[in-house]
Amino acid sequence: MSDASQPSPVLPPSIPPLADLLRDAHVVALPLRNRFRGVDVREALLVEGPNGWTEFSPFVEYETEEAASWLAATIDFGWGPSAPVSRRRVEVNATLPAVPAELVPGILARYPGCRTVKVKVAEPGGTLADDVARVAAARKYVGDDGRVRIDANMNWTVDEAVDALLAFAPYRLEYAEQPVRTVPELKALRELAAPLGVPIAADESVRKATDPLAVARAGAADLLVIKAQPLGGVTAALGIVAEAGLPVVVSSAIDTSVGLSMGAHLAASIPSLPYACGLGTAAMFTSDVTREPLLPVDGAIDVRRVDVDVDLLRAAAAPDIRRAWWFERVRAAHAELERRAAS
Ligand SMILES: O=C(O)CCC(=O)C1=CC=C[C@@H](O)[C@@H]1C(=O)O
Ligand SMILES: [Mg+2]
């Protein structure tokens, strides 16, 4: 962990004119097979830059300051320098929404060859008993040699997290992702839960923080979840990985296959990947924007650019009112990037 100075706000090497970002942009709405993080339909703006297709898809509730970092990623992947890749395939985990245990085998069957399952837990309205049943079903599906991790998306207190990790002990968790909300709580839990031997992963404490390295500097996590769009793109994310000095897992932002290609290129540019990556999420959609979606095959996805299909784009097109909303969102995020560049 190097002594990083205060991070500068995310900014791509250069900002193309707004017209280049909007001229041939498409806004799609892809239905999810199962509700995930309160989302049933995932909207995304797709545009082709000189490097190929790229994606802008901050979650709809995110404000302009946060969305601007996602647009920096869009620009970096579509217009910026390409990082050297050291692998052509990336091992991925299956992603299990907060579903009843009886649905687990059917959902995991959509991730052929995946030996790791990430289980969503601590869903508002759910119970720890529901979570234990879901984790048990995942462990049963992957067998003793498989790996099971959980993601609580900050929804426990430290005491609730200790109780939950004790309840999951029979299922031998690979790690627990963002079990609690703040960096001090992560640090407290990491110390309290050390005897349980469950590594603590930071996700929101990285991607939603002013300083994505603060959690590493605080010694509050054993590993970091790294997401391409939220962290400002492949180039910016590689800088965070280089400074963090911790193991990392590259994960998706529930992107279309275009955004997953960005994540795959990020993962392929990181020398060591000790964990399966959360990039199997094309399997969460009922349709995609390419005839060759980055679906998991033999437990991995390809590291390749994705060409969209005009018929699939047309079939997935969002309503005009949503297209206008996304275009305005690009305008606002583009203005924020230009403000950052001028300051
Ligand atoms: O990591 C994975 O298996 C898939 C990606 C994933 O779980 C998430 C993507 C985007 C937002 C969140 O809902 C969730 C996460 O918190 O990691
Ligand atoms: Mg997470």
Side-chain angles (χ1 to χ4, degrees), residues 24-333:
D24 298 319
H26 297 263
V27 179
V28 296
L30 298 183
L32 290 170
R33 294 177 186 276
N34 304 88
R35 170 169 292 193
F36 191 71
R37 78 174 297 287
V39 173
D40 293 305
V41 177
R42 185 77 167 95
E43 292 182 344
L45 182 140
L46 305 174
V47 60
E48 188 171 18
N51 300 342
W53 285 89
T54 186
E55 178 167 335
F56 174 67
S57 54
F59 292 110
V60 294
E61 71 273 17
Y62 289 0
E63 300 297 336
T64 298
E65 185 176 358
E66 185 166 8
S69 297
W70 293 58
L71 187 64
T74 311
I75 294 167
D76 177 77
F77 195 55
W79 280 260
S82 298
V85 297
S86 54
R87 56 180 71 82
R88 298 312 307 172
R89 296 270 288 163
V90 174
E91 182 185 358
V92 298
N93 61 266
T95 303
L96 188 60
V99 297
E102 57 267 25
L103 297 183
V104 168
I107 291 174
L108 295 185
R110 298 187 195 125
Y111 296 84
C114 290
R115 296 170 298 144
T116 303
V117 180
K118 182 168 102 167
V119 185
K120 181 71 185 78
V121 297
E123 189 90 343
T127 66
L128 180 56
D130 297 338
D131 293 339
V132 171
R134 190 175 317 114
V135 166
R139 170 54 68 195
K140 181 177 179 186
Y141 190 89
V142 295
D144 288 346
D145 295 337
R147 291 179 287 278
V148 177
R149 60 183 73 152
I150 60 156
D151 189 349
N153 291 103
M154 310 183 284
N155 287 332
W156 286 319
T157 64
V158 172
D159 290 344
E160 289 169 338
V162 172
D163 290 345
L165 296 183
L166 282 167
F168 296 140
Y171 310 104
R172 296 177 294 106
L173 295 183
E174 178 186 40
Y175 62 71
E177 185 173 325
Q178 202 72 43
V180 293
R181 179 167 297 274
T182 67
V183 170
E185 287 174 306
L186 280 173
K187 189 169 177 68
L189 176 63
R190 189 166 173 248
E191 287 157 8
L192 268 174
L196 293 174
V198 177
I200 302 298
D203 176 13
E204 285 83 347
S205 291
V206 177
R207 63 186 161 94
K208 296 183 76 73
T210 308
D211 175 3
L213 289 166
V215 63
R217 254 195 289 281
D222 297 288
L223 64 141
L224 303 183
V225 175
I226 299 293
K227 295 178 191 267
Q229 280 199 75
L231 292 176
V234 174
T235 308
L238 288 173
I240 293 167
V241 172
E243 292 206 36
L246 286 176
V248 298
V249 179
V250 176
S251 173
S252 87
I254 320 299
D255 330 60
T256 76
S257 279
V258 174
L260 283 176
S261 175
M262 188 194 300
H265 281 79
L266 170 56
S269 303
I270 295 172
S272 169
L273 290 176
Y275 298 95
C277 290
L279 295 171
T281 53
M284 299 176 88
F285 292 118
T286 60
S287 61
D288 211 311
V289 294
T290 172
R291 296 279 174 211
E292 295 178 303
L294 286 176
L295 287 163
V297 173
D298 297 333
I301 66 167
D302 293 340
V303 179
R304 59 178 165 83
R305 289 269 174 172
V306 161
D307 281 324
V308 301
D309 175 274
V310 289
D311 295 330
L312 291 176
L313 278 180
R314 191 172 298 122
D320 288 347
I321 192 168
R322 295 305 296 165
R323 176 181 169 85
W325 185 85
W326 278 93
F327 272 42
E328 181 47 40
R329 203 176 195 205
V330 170
R331 286 187 191 94

